[in-house]
Structure formats: structure tokens, C-alpha cells
Amino acid sequence: MTIISAQTGYCISGAIMANSGAFLLSASWRSLTIFSLVAVLTKTTAAVDQEKLDCPFFSCGHLQDIRYPFRMQGDPPGCGVQAYELVCSDNKAIIYINTGRYFVTNISYTEPIFWVVDANLDNSSCPIPETNQHPYTDGLQSEDTIQLYPDATTWAAFVNCSQPVGIGSNVVSNPDTFLSVTYKPVGCRSKKNSFVYVWTSSYAFYVGNMDPSCRYLSMIPLGSSLVMAPDNANYEDVVKFMRNGFAVKFPFPREVVTYSWIINRCLNDSVSYFYTQISSSSILNQISAVIGIDLHFLRCVNDFSYRTKLFWAAVTIVSAVDTVKFMIGMRIFFSGSL
């Protein structure tokens, strides 16, 4: 059973109204929650200084005017951040993240994030990440900052099973949230007595409660918080996202994780869940989209901030937002019946 994934049969105008209502409902919920939580919880934090005027800019291949937080091998110690050191080889900028080697394909100083592609996927016709290679799930944490944090909402996890897993079988990827996702076959990697599967979700890096015949292979983030892979994507979709790479954040203060980061991460997860469910042809999934978005959000906040002030404030705010959401829903319902 898959719990993460507009009702058909309406006239065209009714379908448009229903979709518009779903969008309004989700947008209103998101806006109200952001506004309320930020007003209650957000603290002003000092931005990381990104101006190092005494350090020269540098280029590598198509990447021009590279600057802080990046540095080149041999730069003075005060230039850039050590974890963001780049190696320029064959006109490709290479960065080492945890145990992996990645090509840097794009840098955005306005967002601020940069995109990387697993170097081992470059020439493979049936790629999966190396078993001993994966980025930091929670970033490289120092006393004051968090570095090399993947700005990706969705992760892919690969497993190898000694026997076929039945169609529709699932795995609880995070026992604490009971999040169930579906095994998707990787046919080009499977052979007799060795069956490779992949699943994707926001919590794929919490690998647990697998089928007894399976063992963990590897995992990788997909896309970014704005370019999200669908939950339970098939292997072909996963390959497309892997080849496009994933986004990684510039260094940011640890305080952000307590407030803004948790709120934004959980809002993105919840809105993604809402649109996945509301676009289903199943009326039960559509009802789940409206009812379950609140629980999905609160469960996510609790995962990152277990029963703290942030969690209880979120409970209070979501309860208030539910009242407004109910009023919006009733207005949409009665407008649609006229």
C-alpha cells in the first residue's frame, strides 16, 4: 500500500473550479502557516559573511567568477570555506562531499545554492550511487554553521533483494512516521537471485523495516526544494533526476535549522503531499489531501524538533489555520454548487 502518492467525471467548468479551489486551499494554508509561525518563532540571525575582497575570483570550465564560500587548492587559509574547496580537472569543477566525489554544474549566489552530479554516474547506462558514497543527510555541522546541506526534498534509496518483491509491496522507510513507500524495480541491475529496487520519498534516507530478503545498497538526494521528484517515482524518473544532480546549500547558521529551515522544509513536504493526493483520481486520496496535510506538517515538525516549543507552537497555529481553512473550503463548496 502506498500512502504517498481531480476527481474525474465533473464537467469542465466544475473541474476547473475544483482545481482552483484546491490551489486556493493549499496556498492559503501555506501562507497562513508561514506568516503565523514566522511571527511567533523567527529570530534574527547574523548572515554568513560572503564577501572576501582580498581573495581572487577564479574560473573552471563554464563556471566563471567563482568566489566565497568556494576556494581552490592552494588558496590562502582565509579564503573560502575548507569544505567547499574545488578541484579543477579537465575543465570540470570537482567537490568532495562526505565520501563522494561530485561535479559542480551550476552555482547560484542569489539563492544561495550550487548543483552537483555524482561523478560515478557520468558514463553508466544503468546508474546507481556507490554503496559507500552519499552526501550528508544533516549537513556537515560545526559549532556555528551547517555546511554542505542538501537542498533536496526527495531522496532515493536502493536495495538488493535475494528474491522478487511482489507488486504492490511496500517498505516503511521511517518507522517513527509510519511512512510507507513502494518498491520500484531496477531491471537493468537485477539478475537471478539478485533483484534491485528503488523507492523515493522525503524520508528515504531513514532506511528501516525492509523486506527480510533485502539489504541496503545506497541513497542519493534528488533535485531541490523547488525542483522536486515525485514520491514513489519509477527508476527511469530517478535516473533523470540523478543525471541533473541535486542542490546543496552554502554554509548557513545553525540557528536556521531550529526555525526557518524546519518550517520551510516541512511546508514544502506538506504542499508536495497535498498536490500529489489532490491530483489523484481517488476520492479517498483527495479527502486525504485536505485532511492529512495538517498531520503531515505536524509530524514533520515533530521529527526535527521533538515536542519542543516549535512543535507546540505549530500545533497551536495549525489549529487556528484549520478554522480558516474550513471556512475557505465551505465557500468553495457552496460556490461550486451554485
Side-chain angles (χ1 to χ4, degrees), residues 94-224:
I94 299 170
I95 189 169
Y96 291 87
I97 302 176
N98 200 1
T99 56
R101 186 171 72 104
Y102 300 88
F103 296 131
V104 179
T105 59
N106 185 59
I107 300 174
S108 172
Y109 291 95
T110 57
E111 292 189 5
I113 58 173
F114 65 104
W115 284 77
V116 300
V117 175
D118 186 344
N120 292 327
L121 304 178
D122 198 30
N123 297 314
S124 174
S125 61
C126 184
I128 67 170
E130 296 290 333
T131 297
N132 62 347
Q133 174 175 324
H134 59 79
Y136 302 102
T137 55
D138 295 316
L140 177 62
Q141 304 197 23
S142 65
E143 182 178 353
D144 300 320
T145 63
I146 295 178
Q147 303 169 6
L148 300 175
Y149 194 98
D151 183 45
T153 300
T154 307
W155 289 65
F158 293 83
V159 295
N160 191 349
C161 307
S162 60
Q163 60 187 27
V165 176
I167 297 176
S169 295
N170 58 69
V171 58
V172 179
S173 64
N174 184 354
D176 293 331
T177 60
F178 302 101
L179 183 64
S180 177
V181 292
T182 303
Y183 292 94
K184 297 299 177 69
V186 182
C188 57
R189 287 272 180 165
S190 300
K191 53 187 178 181
K192 185 178 180 180
N193 298 326
S194 178
F195 304 91
V196 179
Y197 296 91
V198 63
W199 72 80
T200 59
S201 80
S202 302
Y203 300 97
F205 52 83
Y206 289 107
V207 180
N209 291 9
M210 292 185 293
D211 185 278
S213 69
C214 301
R215 64 179 179 85
Y216 166 78
L217 279 181
S218 58
M219 64 181 180
I220 190 171
L222 305 175
S224 71

Side-chain angles (χ1 to χ4, degrees), residues 281-303:
S281 60
S282 169
I283 186 63
L284 293 179
N285 286 352
Q286 294 175 24
I287 293 174
S288 176
V290 177
I291 297 176
I293 188 173
D294 300 326
L295 295 178
H296 195 88
F297 175 75
L298 292 176
R299 187 166 54 192
C300 176
V301 172
N302 195 44
D303 283 344

Side-chain angles (χ1 to χ4, degrees), residues 41 101 109 120 122 148 223 234 247 258 273 276 321 328:
L41 296 167
R101 186 171 72 104
Y109 291 95
N120 292 327
D122 198 30
L148 300 175
N234 59 35
T258 305
Y273 166 83
T276 299
V321 170
I328 295 173

Side-chain angles (χ1 to χ4, degrees), residues 19-39:
N19 287 334
S20 300
F23 174 81
L24 176 61
L25 187 60
S26 175
S28 300
W29 180 86
R30 181 186 176 98
S31 299
L32 286 167
T33 306
I34 292 175
F35 176 81
S36 303
L37 282 174
V38 169

Side-chain angles (χ1 to χ4, degrees), residues 39-53:
V40 173
L41 296 167
T42 300
K43 294 182 178 180
T44 302
T45 58
V48 177
D49 180 14
Q50 297 186 9
E51 295 297 331
K52 303 292 181 182
L53 300 180

